DNA sequence: CTGAAAGCGCTAACAA
DNA sequence: TTGTTAGCGCTTTCAG
């Protein structure tokens, strides 16, 4: 394993420089020489030292991926997607999980990926101005998923539009009292996705209220922390309200799952008593008969991966955000509002 | 950003060697000197070049994690666990997803982590002898989760014991016709975990059959591919059998979820008509009222992470596998066998 | 098309 | 305690 370039050079009867050129496939090496070198390298089981190469070239063959969570469905799917395309291109993936706010602060203070990566991908994490500058200061291409940042390519979905479509579906079913389970300020890691979905909820719900000539119920906007447990709690709160919603729109399937559970425990039927609509099309949404907004999660990752590769090879690419499509998936958890 | 050690040295009025020592916190630097260096480094926003450092020391500050999947609950949880402890120790995590068998072959052929990592963690992936030698040839400490390999530290659970306990629970409930949903040869990526659970199933089930003086039903051993869809299919097959099981033990919760779904669609009640028992204690098992065997997934990852750190700092540690505890979690999907 | 030589930025002896 | 001097293994001019 401690083979070096010179060993290969000696065996092939050429200079180290030629071996380097041959191994990297750069033009300007005679075919015969190249194959001789390749044979020698294979014979020795030679593999290049990334550190030395990186020191000499400044490139690392590695991309840094910054995530707020790795063990949530949405994030693990995306990571899987980018990993696949990077791997196919021979790029390694360095994973950085922020963890929590102190962890995030530590990350940006230490910036452990500095000089370790050729490009950076940030998942669903709106950056502060300082953070963005720090990342751009790495002078490596920056790509984001789910957010848009100055100086970065981005891929995402139309959160607002998708959420509005979902809400309109509920309205068409006759629902007027619609609650929202999502997230409000202060937002854990600064996510804006929930806010965009909340905004769409509000627009549609408030419009309905205007039509009905009544005040929107502020307590219908609840926080579920994007977890099953949070969704459960939020739904419990809603059930305690004097005026109960007949439909609930959750900003993630996990929270919708929690809502389903609370409803079942409370002896309420879905969708007869309450309609529930989620967001994501989680693997288990189908199993739980949850109507939801499907977003192409793995594809977001792949798309971002390809963007990274394009930037790495210096490709001049469209800088406008790539917006992937979503679609409403109707299952058994939504139905026309039943007369009270 | 293009600061180098010498810049710091100049500013602090010392030599590069001293800066190097001070920055790494090695002993043998006067306190005053050290703080002067630190101040200079901070002023310049200096950060070490990992490539250069790595070239000089042979260490990379990075651990490679090899996984068969990243977007499955079990794996993403484990990754999250190791990542947390490595991060706290300032170690970066290079993620390698094998993908499929060709991907696996490519990985071991190219061995992209060669010279990129100081240690390697392998998740639930029994290695061929060749693969093991390749990995050990990296001469970096090797740790595995869920398998045991010569020359590697390992952490895992007692699959066989846990599965046997689960099976005995079903027997105690009066079940005699118990089916298994898991995996049989040929195994996708060579997993042995399913086999250990299968073996436990067989022991208990065959014992029951002996007691009853009848032949075990071979068709009760089904393959579910560790996915929800696979579990659904397996359960469908079981329902088509002339002699139907009254209880089903699935080697993973995901497969159990699929089984639940098939049963519900077939109009059968759980647990009245069929008991279902899973394995993992997936986040959603609670929601679906699934009885299951809980294993400390995140802790497996953390434990492995700590093992890696210990090996990296040259600690001589117990080489025997660390076995973490499991426990049966009884929910609503298992009940005494009802008279037919 | 190929080789020689000079780094890339840091660390590790060895001296002082 | 600090500085000097060689590398670590590869890439990249620049000659040839």
């Amino acid at each position: 394993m401690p083979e070096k370039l010179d060993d290969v050079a000696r065996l092939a009867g050429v200079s180290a420089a030629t071996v380097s050129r041959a191994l990297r496939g750069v033009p300007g090496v005679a075919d015969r020489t190249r194959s001789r070198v390749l044979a020698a390298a294979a014979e020795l089981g030679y593999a290049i030292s990334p550190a030395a190469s990186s020191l000499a070239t400044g490139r690392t063959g590695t991309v840094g991926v910054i995530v707020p969570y790795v063990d949530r469905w949405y994030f693990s799917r995306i990571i899987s997607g980018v990993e696949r395309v990077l791997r196919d291109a021979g790029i390694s993936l360095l994973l950085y999980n922020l963890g929590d706010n102190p962890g995030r602060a530590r990350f940006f203070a230490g910036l452990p990926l500095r000089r370790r990566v050729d490009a950076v991908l940030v998942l669903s994490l709106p950056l502060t101005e300082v953070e963005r500058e720090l990342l751009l200061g790495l002078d490596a291409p920056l790509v984001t998923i789910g957010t848009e940042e100055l100086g970065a390519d981005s891929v995402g979905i139309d959160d607002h539009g998708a959420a509005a479509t979902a809400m309109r579906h509920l309205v068409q079913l006759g629902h007027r009292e619609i609650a929202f389970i999502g997230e409000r300020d202060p937002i854990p890691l600064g996510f804006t996705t929930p806010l965009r979905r909340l905004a769409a909820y509000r627009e549609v719900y408030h419009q309905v209220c205007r039509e009905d000539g009544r005040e929107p119920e502020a307590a219908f906007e609840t926080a579920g922390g994007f977890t099953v447990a949070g969704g459960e709690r939020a739904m419990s709160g809603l059930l305690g309200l004097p005026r109960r919603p007949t439909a609930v729109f959750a900003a993630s399937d996990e929270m919708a799952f929690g809502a389903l559970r609370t409803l079942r425990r409370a002896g309420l039927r879905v969708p007869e008593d309450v309609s529930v609509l989620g967001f994501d099309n989680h693997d288990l949404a189908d199993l739980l008969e949850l109507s939801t907004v499907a977003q192409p999660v793995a594809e977001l990752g792949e798309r971002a991966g390809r963007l990274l590769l394009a930037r790495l090879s210096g490709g001049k690419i469209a800088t406008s955000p790539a917006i992937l499509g979503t679609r409403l998936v109707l299952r058994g958890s939504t139905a026309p509002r039943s007369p009270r």
Side-chain angles (χ1 to χ4, degrees), chain A:
Chain A
M1 192 103 326
E3 316 292 0
K4 23 198 313 190
L5 207 44
D6 305 276
D7 300 328
V8 181
R10 207 170 310 120
L11 183 61
V14 296
S15 74
T18 299
V19 174
S20 174
R21 290 191 270 252
L23 254 30
R24 281 175 302 148
V26 303
V29 179
D31 285 351
R32 290 194 48 241
T33 314
R34 183 184 308 279
S35 41
R36 201 138 37 85
V37 170
L38 260 32
E43 182 177 338
L44 293 178
Y46 171 79
I48 213 169
S49 155
S53 174
S54 164
L55 182 55
T57 62
R59 260 166 292 101
T60 62
T62 301
V63 164
V65 176
I66 304 175
V67 303
Y69 304 101
V70 347
D71 56 356
R72 292 201 182 171
W73 182 79
Y74 174 82
F75 293 101
S76 67
R77 280 298 275 255
I78 291 196
I79 295 168
S80 184
V82 305
E83 199 277 345
R84 178 166 37 246
V85 355
L86 293 181
R87 167 162 37 100
D88 286 347
I91 305 277
S92 292
L93 187 161
L94 222 28
L95 185 66
Y96 292 99
N97 187 4
L98 262 25
D100 49 13
N101 277 317
R104 177 181 188 149
R106 244 176 298 134
F107 175 81
F108 282 102
L111 225 50
L113 44 48
R114 182 172 354 190
R115 308 206 197 192
R116 271 182 201 280
V117 302
D118 295 338
V120 178
L121 173 63
V122 175
L123 294 198
S124 293
L125 209 58
L127 304 171
T128 66
E129 200 155 331
V130 174
E131 292 171 344
R132 192 191 57 212
E133 289 311 316
L134 281 168
L135 254 23
L136 289 174
L138 262 27
D139 78 353
L142 182 62
V143 174
T144 62
I145 293 184
T147 60
E148 291 180 30
E149 300 285 351
L150 233 66
D153 296 309
S154 65
V155 8
I157 60 167
D158 176 7
D159 268 299
H160 187 281
T165 299
M167 281 298 292
R168 272 186 239 110
H169 168 66
L170 292 174
V171 172
Q172 272 160 15
L173 289 173
H175 295 282
R176 315 296 288 178
E177 312 276 8
I178 307 173
F180 178 77
I181 302 181
E183 202 53 85
R184 295 170 305 187
D185 276 314
I187 301 161
L189 286 158
F191 294 126
T192 49
T193 299
L195 293 188
R196 294 197 294 266
R197 294 179 194 164
L198 171 59
Y201 159 78
R202 244 181 221 165
E203 282 176 25
V204 175
Y205 173 57
H206 288 198
Q207 166 72 23
V208 164
C209 290
R210 266 196 302 282
E211 290 171 11
D212 293 352
R214 58 191 168 75
E215 284 303 299
E217 174 62 77
F220 277 4
E221 293 179 7
T222 66
F226 279 69
T227 64
V228 175
E232 275 186 68
R233 275 192 299 277
M235 190 70 234
S236 296
L238 290 170
L239 292 183
L241 257 28
R243 180 162 46 132
R244 279 186 183 175
T246 65
V248 176
F249 173 43
S252 84
D253 283 352
E254 269 123 327
M255 294 190 287
F257 294 156
L260 290 177
R261 173 163 213 220
T262 294
L263 288 167
R264 195 178 51 209
R265 293 206 163 155
L268 291 168
R269 291 161 307 162
V270 173
E272 293 81 353
D273 300 316
V274 180
S275 280
V276 176
L277 187 53
F279 201 115
D280 276 349
N281 201 24
H282 187 289
D283 275 345
L284 294 171
D286 182 48
L287 175 61
L288 289 159
E289 309 279 16
L290 179 69
S291 294
T292 191
V293 176
Q295 62 167 323
V297 184
E299 204 187 327
L300 286 171
E302 288 164 8
R303 206 48 179 267
R306 272 183 260 124
L307 229 37
L308 287 164
L309 294 180
R311 285 289 181 204
L312 285 179
S313 54
K316 274 300 123 214
I317 44 187
T319 183
S320 57
I323 302 297
L324 305 192
T326 57
R327 67 177 208 287
L328 204 52
V329 176
L330 269 16
R331 300 200 177 93
S333 69
T334 45
R337 169 197 184 190
S338 51
R340 280 279 163 101

